[in-house]
Amino acid sequence: MRKIIIFSLCSFFANAQVGVNTTSPSRTLDVNGTLRVRTQTDQSSNSSYDNVMISDANGNVDYVKKNLLNQQMTQLFSLSTLPSVNVGGSGAVSPVSISNQSVTLTKPAFVIINYSVPVTISAAASDGRMKLLRTHLNVDGTNVVRSSNAYTNSTSTGTNLTGIFYNTGSYITLLGAGTHSIEILGTCFDFAAAANCVQGGNFSGTSFQAHAMYNDY
């Protein structure tokens, strides 16, 4: 009996691996059977893990496949009409708020944001200078997307360019539980007056929407 105990201890220290219901352990603790773990390590940042471990209140552990997790999609807001805001001006023009939506998440979620903002130029420019039509997307006060249209009204491109343009964009981000702001802002330059360039309005194709994707488990 003593020889068997000594042999087992030598084997343990030599291999530094313990197998339960297996004679060829491949990790420090290799369990071939059900498992109870009282302390677990977060591997959420390791992309090579494709199984998600789950446990009950007593530490009994099993897993589900990551691609089988129930993804719950919730619409946060969906707008097809936006306020019409004068955003033109000459020189450096600060972005003007068009729509600022406050959303509340019950738990961390991936938030998907899409927008299509109409930009109206009602008066033809004749100064031959480049015009920049830009729409910003801000999340919690941080500029995350800038969508732009640009043209130069010269003799080769014409000096009578007017009508409706669209600035479009999308953004996906992970936000924590709580209240967040999602805002679109506009700016146009170089225009003689703010009213020469208007962003927003009720036109076909106008949209500003956001959805939250939760892991429902």
Side-chain angles (χ1 to χ4, degrees):
M1 183 64 181
R2 292 179 180 176
K3 292 181 180 179
I4 294 174
I5 294 174
I6 293 172
F7 176 80
S8 298
L9 290 174
C10 290
S11 176
F12 170 77
F13 287 114
N15 296 319
Q17 292 177 332
V18 176
V20 179
N21 286 339
T22 178
T23 58
S24 55
S26 60
R27 304 187 76 177
T28 303
L29 177 61
D30 189 337
V31 180
N32 181 17
T34 57
L35 176 67
R36 179 177 180 179
V37 179
R38 298 176 185 269
T39 302
Q40 301 158 39
T41 302
D42 182 6
Q43 293 288 348
S44 58
S45 61
N46 192 335
S47 61
S48 67
Y49 281 60
D50 59 2
N51 292 332
V52 178
M53 304 302 295
I54 57 175
S55 63
D56 62 15
N58 295 319
N60 297 304
V61 177
D62 283 292
Y63 77 91
V64 294
K65 300 297 292 184
K66 185 186 295 184
N67 61 355
L68 295 179
L69 290 175
N70 181 21
Q71 302 287 340
Q72 179 185 354
M73 180 77 78
T74 301
Q75 181 174 278
L76 300 175
F77 61 86
S78 182
L79 306 176
S80 58
T81 299
L82 295 171
S84 296
V85 180
N86 296 334
V87 298
S90 59
V93 181
S94 298
V96 180
S97 180
I98 300 171
S99 179
N100 191 354
Q101 302 298 313
S102 178
V103 300
T104 300
L105 304 178
T106 58
K107 57 183 177 180
F110 282 101
V111 176
I112 306 166
I113 308 167
N114 296 284
Y115 63 89
S116 176
V117 179
V119 184
T120 305
I121 300 177
S122 57
S126 58
D127 56 10
R129 302 176 64 178
M130 185 187 76
K131 307 301 175 185
L132 183 62
L133 324 175
R134 176 169 288 169
T135 303
H136 301 251
L137 173 65
N138 279 15
V139 176
D140 290 336
T142 300
N143 187 21
V144 294
V145 176
R146 290 191 298 180
S147 304
S148 302
N149 276 292
Y151 73 92
T152 301
N153 55 314
S154 64
T155 55
S156 59
T157 60
T159 58
N160 60 346
L161 189 59
T162 59
I164 300 173
F165 302 80
Y166 283 88
N167 281 342
T168 62
S170 61
Y171 184 68
I172 301 176
T173 185
L174 177 62
L175 297 178
T179 301
H180 303 272
S181 66
I182 303 176
E183 183 180 20
I184 49 174
L185 307 94
T187 182
C188 295
F189 54 94
D190 190 19
F191 288 85
N196 292 153
C197 184
V198 176
Q199 292 198 30
N202 183 17
F203 297 97
S204 176
T206 303
S207 68
F208 181 30
Q209 55 185 220
H211 294 78
M213 181 176 288
Y214 298 99
N215 279 326
D216 190 16
Y217 65 93

